[in-house]
Amino acid sequence: MSEQKKVLLTTFNIHGYYSLAFGYLQAYALKSKKLKEKLRFLSLDFCVDCNDIYQVLYYFERIKPDIIGFSCYCWNMEKVDKLSTLSKEILPEAKVVLGGPEVGPIAEEVLRSNPAVDVVVRGEGEVTFKELLEHYILNKKSISQIKGISYRKGKKISRNEERELIENLDDIPSPYLTGILPLKDQVLYLESYRGCPYKCAYCYEGKNYPHLRYFSKERIKKEVEFISKSGKVRKYSFVDPVFNLNKKKLKEMCSLISQANEGDLKLHTIEVCMEKVDEETVKELKKANVISVETGPQTVNENTLKNINRYFERDKFIRGVKLLEGNGIDVLCDLIIGLPGDNFFKFARSTRFIFNLNPSRIIFSTLHVLPGTYLFDNARKFGLKFESSPPHAVIENETFSYTELRKAEVMALSLEKEFNLKRVLK
Amino acid sequence: MIEYRKVFIGSVCNNNCLHCPYPQKESRSLSDIKADLEEKGNCDSVEIFGGEPTLRNDLIEIIRFARKVGYKRIKLRTNGRVLSNWNALRMLVSEGCYLYEIKLWASNHQLFDSLTRAEGSFYETFQGIQNLISLTSSGITNVSPFVSILIPLVKENYFYAESITRSLFSFRIDRLTFSLWDASLPLKDVLYCVQNAIEACTFSKIWSLTEGIPPCFMKGFEHHVSEFLESIVDGYVKAKKCKKCVYDDVCSGVKEEYYKSLGEKSVEPVKRSSYLGDLKILKNE
């Protein structure tokens, strides 16, 4: 047997988390028997706050990968940039491939600004990455024929045609059922569909993947059963943009989860559209053993909601939160600081609205104007100024001056801590 | 912005502050305090104040009772001296008291002790703050307590507002409130000192608020006016001139004592404000 090529997938996550995407990439690539024979995957998840690039570089040097794949988000891009440059210094032969929402929408710009990067995968990565591995390892297909990538070709940068989305998501084997990803309590994530029917201006999901595609019920059921039977996991979650998309889907999901859950597996922090939560929804969520949900409203100010194309109905939102909290399901409410149309006192108004509603937890975050979002593309329209480099934090907009924004952030730090302390005495 | 049910535990104190609002030192019975705690309505947060709550032998019982009747946030307004005792602090925290507001008069012991008229109070109060901040690193709890500091502004200390503020920067406190206690103060001088202190706080990522300073004097610092952000509190009156102010509908007015002392000079009607529309909405919700 010839020597296997080493493919290293790596990223910097929030502490304790690990990349579901790496599971998918490996599971899909390993469908190919030839690739399975010829390559060996290594997946390393580092902590964005506690690991520095030199620690990671040490691993690189020890492993000597042939291909390094980085998963790129706004919170880790600075490190990925530096690390990819350093890795090229010590491993000049290794191919550096970047993917993820931070680089896909601005692929050519990334290639221009970082000479260490060989390829950027745009959009959904499973099929593209597999073909790229086949190109590098099996010499199959010319790189110019691989859809969904931008790449360095000598001194030039080439952009290949778009990759069509995977219509049948079951084509991607489950990273859990195949044993690729370990079962870790609290940070285990499943996915039941891709895409989003909403088009919030600060998010790339709905803009880039408006068409909804689902994993089969059987597949999800098997995954939940597997996790439940393992005895290793007490809490897990779904990464679905909106768990309660519609009643029919919700009922199907909650029924299959409750049938598959043989123990006391709890479902936490699923994203919901609060306005759609009614008595029936709560009943379904309870059936699926949901213990907490996360929701907006991000802001409650009419003009701002219009600017960010965000759906919000005050009375229905209030009803939803009260129903969930009243039935023992914790609600985490999110507000974003720095949205176009808001200012300090408008943000204070949103905060007061949430405080009066008294959910279990409140999460404030500053707007990040992410590549691939409507706000990124229309920044000028709203006078949005933001860091051009990741994490693209907003600096000001035409209604929210930098002074006010800074004050709002400082106030939010204080209020968030004070508010969330109530959880301790729950 | 969080609404607290305020429960008075009596005016007994181990300080003898020059500017204390309670000349008579009287205790309140446990049953009266419990009765107050029971009247919680929908409020899930309580602020226990005095006098000095930590002097009560039954404070733990009060906290337990507050928890029993359903309060989720229990805040103690204290001079912080007893918190210098690790055992006392450990007990409070283990019973679920995670929010503290400490009154701080000065950043040097001479001025501090002269205002509290209690020798050694400066060191105990600062040790109390230090202990609160060290709770998690010392392994006593994994919950970081909420520590806010209230600086009462009086004629002896207002000039030092910024230096008092800066003395707190190494403590990573969560909020600072500048509260106007002395109605005879020259407001323009106070504003200069307070606004410098506010800027220093914002720079250091500490949220700061003012209390009792008429909002009409806070141009450029409206964001820090607690009367704009919090619900209206008792003890405020309107001057006649307030009718000419654009903030009339959204402002609680001035503190009663302040108005008594300065009369119509206690306000300065504002003619224009870009915040008015937003403040009106904020106030009416």
Side-chain angles (χ1 to χ4, degrees), chain B:
Chain B
M1 279 193 217
I2 296 168
E3 198 190 323
Y4 285 86
R5 167 105 176 99
K6 293 186 168 58
V7 174
F8 182 59
I9 53 88
S11 51
V12 176
C13 188
N14 49 352
N15 283 345
N16 181 26
C17 294
L18 197 60
H19 298 274
C20 180
Y22 306 111
Q24 303 293 324
K25 305 296 177 201
E26 287 167 0
S27 190
R28 286 190 79 207
S29 72
L30 182 62
S31 57
D32 283 354
I33 293 168
K34 283 185 173 178
D36 280 359
L37 285 167
E38 272 176 328
E39 279 176 34
K40 67 185 282 291
N42 288 328
C43 190
D44 64 359
S45 308
V46 64
E47 183 177 292
I48 298 167
F49 75 105
E52 179 47 45
T54 57
L55 295 182
R56 290 189 69 110
N57 291 331
D58 53 9
L59 181 60
I60 295 300
E61 194 178 340
I62 292 170
I63 292 169
R64 282 182 188 157
F65 188 77
R67 284 186 67 170
K68 194 180 150 198
V69 294
Y71 290 104
K72 300 281 190 286
R73 291 183 203 88
I74 300 165
K75 187 196 272 185
L76 222 52
R77 276 186 101 149
T78 168
N79 61 30
R81 290 178 62 186
V82 170
L83 308 182
S84 63
N85 177 336
W86 267 116
N87 287 334
L89 179 57
R90 188 181 284 130
M91 206 180 280
L92 286 168
V93 168
S94 67
E95 292 299 332
C97 188
Y98 289 105
L99 297 105
Y100 297 84
E101 183 177 281
I102 296 176
K103 207 173 292 138
L104 198 72
W105 292 96
S107 55
N108 68 72
H109 71 96
Q110 291 96 336
L111 181 57
F112 193 100
D113 289 0
S114 71
L115 284 166
T116 58
R117 293 188 291 189
E119 204 179 330
S121 58
F122 170 81
Y123 290 110
E124 285 182 354
T125 297
F126 263 84
Q127 187 60 55
I129 299 170
Q130 175 68 59
N131 287 354
L132 273 171
I133 300 304
S134 316
L135 273 171
T136 46
S137 58
S138 60
I140 288 175
T141 171
N142 55 8
V143 179
S144 171
F146 185 85
V147 183
S148 61
I149 302 289
L150 183 128
I151 301 177
L153 297 169
V154 292
K155 63 175 178 288
E156 293 86 354
N157 75 354
Y158 78 88
F159 186 73
Y160 305 107
E162 189 181 341
S163 60
I164 302 171
T165 300
R166 289 188 183 277
S167 72
L168 294 164
F169 286 171
S170 61
F171 289 109
R172 299 190 317 274
I173 59 160
D174 299 299
R175 187 176 304 153
L176 215 151
T177 304
F178 301 97
S179 183
L180 190 65
W181 275 34
D182 188 342
S184 68
L185 288 180
L187 201 52
K188 287 204 169 130
D189 294 347
V190 175
L191 285 175
Y192 177 78
C193 299
V194 168
Q195 291 176 352
N196 280 344
I198 288 174
E199 295 290 37
C201 282
T202 308
F203 177 80
S204 298
K205 294 203 275 187
I206 296 170
W207 183 234
S208 56
L209 290 167
T210 61
E211 193 181 84
I213 299 178
C216 45
F217 288 96
M218 292 293 287
K219 193 170 179 345
F221 290 84
E222 293 87 345
H223 317 92
H224 301 271
V225 176
S226 64
E227 287 84 353
F228 279 157
L229 297 167
E230 313 285 342
S231 310
I232 299 172
V233 284
D234 295 337
Y236 284 75
V237 291
K238 286 284 183 89
K240 284 174 196 154
K241 280 202 288 187
C242 287
K243 290 221 166 357
K244 292 179 187 165
C245 180
V246 291
Y247 288 140
D248 193 25
D249 290 345
V250 296
C251 176
S252 329
V254 288
K255 283 237 173 127
E256 233 172 316
E257 314 86 72
Y258 201 70
Y259 187 68
K260 272 182 199 159
S261 162
L262 287 182
E264 289 297 307
K265 283 184 188 163
S266 59
V267 296
E268 223 170 51
V270 176
K271 287 179 184 151
R272 270 184 300 275
S273 169
S274 55
Y275 303 120
L276 188 61
D278 293 325
L279 284 171
K280 277 187 178 171
I281 296 171
L282 187 64
K283 207 73 187 172
N284 293 327
E285 283 192 350

Side-chain angles (χ1 to χ4, degrees), chain A residues 113-377:
Chain A
S113 65
N114 187 346
V117 179
D118 295 296
V119 181
V120 174
V121 174
R122 306 191 310 265
E124 203 165 68
E126 286 88 355
V127 182
T128 309
F129 192 65
K130 177 176 172 252
E131 288 186 9
L132 202 56
L133 293 177
E134 285 171 338
H135 163 76
Y136 283 133
I137 295 167
L138 308 176
N139 293 321
K140 202 172 156 185
K141 221 180 208 178
S142 151
I143 194 161
S144 62
Q145 292 174 304
I146 300 173
K147 291 179 182 176
I149 61 165
S150 297
Y151 64 103
R152 198 176 302 286
K153 191 178 171 188
K155 285 184 180 172
K156 286 185 179 169
I157 289 162
S158 285
R159 180 184 174 91
N160 291 353
E161 66 177 287
E162 299 305 312
R163 163 78 58 190
E164 50 289 337
L165 297 173
I166 304 169
E167 214 37 61
N168 179 8
L169 290 181
D170 281 356
D171 285 349
I172 311 166
S174 163
Y176 299 108
L177 298 174
T178 49
I180 288 167
L181 286 182
L183 302 181
K184 285 190 185 175
D185 189 28
Q186 314 252 12
V187 289
L188 191 146
Y189 286 87
L190 298 179
E191 188 176 27
S192 80
Y193 72 94
R194 288 182 183 177
C196 184
Y198 299 99
K199 291 183 174 53
C200 303
Y202 50 82
C203 179
Y204 43 77
E205 195 79 26
K207 181 169 177 280
N208 300 323
Y209 307 107
H211 167 53
L212 302 184
R213 295 158 296 139
Y214 299 90
F215 286 96
S216 69
K217 287 181 271 178
E218 295 72 30
R219 147 84 172 256
I220 300 163
K221 193 174 174 186
K222 273 184 199 162
E223 287 186 317
V224 179
E225 265 168 6
F226 181 66
I227 297 163
S228 171
K229 278 181 186 163
S230 74
K232 292 176 185 168
V233 178
R234 288 171 298 138
K235 292 180 191 169
Y236 71 113
S237 190
F238 277 85
V239 294
D240 301 353
V242 186
F243 193 78
N244 58 336
L245 260 183
N246 58 56
K247 275 280 166 63
K248 187 171 167 265
K249 273 282 159 204
L250 179 76
K251 281 184 179 178
E252 280 175 9
M253 278 291 288
C254 291
S255 292
L256 78 85
I257 288 171
S258 93
Q259 284 163 24
N261 183 3
E262 293 178 4
D264 189 31
L265 200 55
K266 291 186 168 60
L267 186 47
H268 73 95
T269 338
I270 49 163
E271 296 263 357
V272 296
C273 172
M274 194 51 73
E275 288 83 347
K276 286 186 176 177
V277 173
D278 58 11
E279 284 85 355
E280 209 180 349
T281 309
V282 176
K283 211 170 130 189
E284 291 300 327
L285 294 176
K286 293 292 280 185
K287 195 158 84 182
N289 225 2
V290 173
I291 56 166
S292 60
V293 301
E294 189 166 349
T295 188
Q298 317 305 352
T299 178
V300 300
N301 297 297
E302 297 74 13
N303 275 345
T304 314
L305 288 161
K306 206 171 140 193
N307 286 342
I308 61 169
N309 198 31
R310 169 98 195 173
Y311 166 58
F312 172 69
E313 279 193 66
R314 193 185 181 87
D315 293 344
K316 287 183 179 174
F317 192 93
I318 294 171
R319 179 197 63 182
V321 172
K322 290 202 182 297
L323 273 173
L324 288 165
E325 288 281 351
N327 282 280
I329 297 175
D330 288 352
V331 178
L332 286 68
C333 284
D334 297 340
L335 289 178
I336 299 178
I337 305 166
L339 292 169
D342 269 2
N343 59 23
F344 180 90
F345 286 111
K346 283 192 166 78
F347 168 68
R349 179 195 175 198
S350 299
T351 305
R352 179 171 287 175
F353 170 79
I354 298 297
F355 278 18
N356 288 342
L357 205 48
N358 206 9
S360 286
R361 195 173 159 198
I362 186 163
I363 300 169
F364 294 109
S365 57
T366 298
L367 174 66
H368 292 262
V369 186
L370 302 173
T373 64
Y374 179 82
L375 286 185
F376 187 90
D377 296 341

